[in-house]
């Protein structure tokens, strides 16, 4: 799957940054899985496969101009249903990977200033690995819920799981 990264202008950024967010919808097998992502400076043709004529790509490394394997994640990042995964190309050409709004990896100065001006970046997601279904996220960077909103959301889901009891007092 190739998702066009949207330009966003954040306060203090010199040029428009590029942003894309995916939400994990389905996973295969294990309930905690990982994901394979890449970034292309232009929209890749995923329909024809590599020049060898196979008709499909076996890995992200075969996709022309696709950069994969970076950034190196500084924390263990397992993805379950509902996890929000985002990529941000900053105004200095760095690539950040975010999980639920938290930066989990950064590759510094991956793209030149020229590439930032002339590229139509796309986030590539390999759906043949553990994560088998995604939807497009709509939350721009910096709009992640705060700790209070996250705590309230967790509390609501916890209360919904509690068994209901009859609150009438007996005489």
């Amino acid at each position: 799957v190739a998702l066009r990264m949207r330009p966003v202008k954040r306060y203090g950024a010199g040029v428009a940054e590029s942003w894309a967010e995916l939400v994990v919808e389905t996973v295969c097998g294990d309930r905690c899985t990982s994901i394979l992502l890449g970034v292309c400076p232009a929209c890749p043709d995923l329909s024809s496969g590599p020049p060898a004529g196979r008709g499909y790509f076996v890995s992200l490394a075969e996709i022309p101009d696709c950069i994969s394997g970076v950034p190196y994640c500084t924390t263990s990042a397992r993805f379950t249903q509902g996890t929000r995964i985002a990529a941000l190309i900053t105004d200095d050409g760095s690539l950040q990977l975010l999980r639920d709004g938290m930066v989990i990896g950064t590759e510094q100065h991956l793209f030149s200033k020229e590439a930032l001006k002339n590229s139509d970046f796309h986030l590539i997601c390999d759906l043949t690995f553990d994560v088998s279904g995604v939807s497009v996220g709509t939350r721009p960077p910096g709009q992640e819920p705060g700790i209070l909103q996250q705590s309230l959301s967790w509390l609501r889901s916890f209360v919904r799981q509690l068994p209901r009891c009859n609150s009438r007092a007996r005489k």
Side-chain angles (χ1 to χ4, degrees):
V1 170
L3 173 64
R4 185 172 190 259
M5 298 180 77
R6 297 174 292 176
V8 292
K9 185 74 170 168
R10 294 192 307 165
Y11 178 76
V15 296
E17 299 174 322
S18 297
W19 170 263
E21 181 182 58
L22 299 171
V23 180
V24 175
E25 297 295 336
T26 56
V27 294
C28 298
D30 192 357
R31 305 262 320 150
C32 295
T33 58
S34 52
I35 191 167
L36 298 176
L37 297 173
V39 174
C40 287
C43 185
D45 178 13
L46 301 178
S47 62
S48 60
R54 183 172 50 243
Y56 59 92
F57 293 101
V58 175
S59 73
L60 294 175
E62 289 186 339
I63 299 172
D65 300 323
C66 183
I67 298 169
S68 61
V70 292
Y72 177 78
C73 294
T74 56
T75 61
S76 176
R78 294 293 181 187
F79 304 103
T80 59
Q81 187 176 12
T83 301
R84 303 182 88 79
I85 307 159
L88 174 68
I89 300 174
T90 64
D91 65 338
D92 69 352
S94 298
L95 175 63
Q96 291 183 343
L97 185 62
L98 297 91
R99 178 185 181 269
D100 293 328
M102 302 283 295
V103 176
I104 59 172
T106 301
E107 186 71 22
Q108 298 290 332
H109 310 293
L110 189 60
F111 301 101
S112 68
K113 294 283 186 187
E114 185 70 23
L116 293 176
K117 291 178 188 172
N118 299 323
S119 297
D120 182 23
F121 291 104
H122 284 70
L123 179 63
I124 311 302
C125 180
D126 183 346
L127 296 178
T128 62
F129 202 58
D130 295 336
V131 173
S132 58
V134 293
S135 62
V136 177
T138 57
R139 200 178 331 177
Q143 299 282 325
E144 292 80 22
I147 191 71
L148 179 60
Q149 290 89 352
Q150 290 176 3
S151 298
L152 287 173
S153 176
W154 176 85
L155 182 60
R156 280 189 213 108
S157 66
F158 176 76
V159 169
R160 279 190 224 120
Q161 295 175 8
L162 292 175
R164 300 202 182 252
C165 62
N166 190 351
S167 61
R168 289 186 177 175
R170 294 187 179 179
K171 291 185 183 182

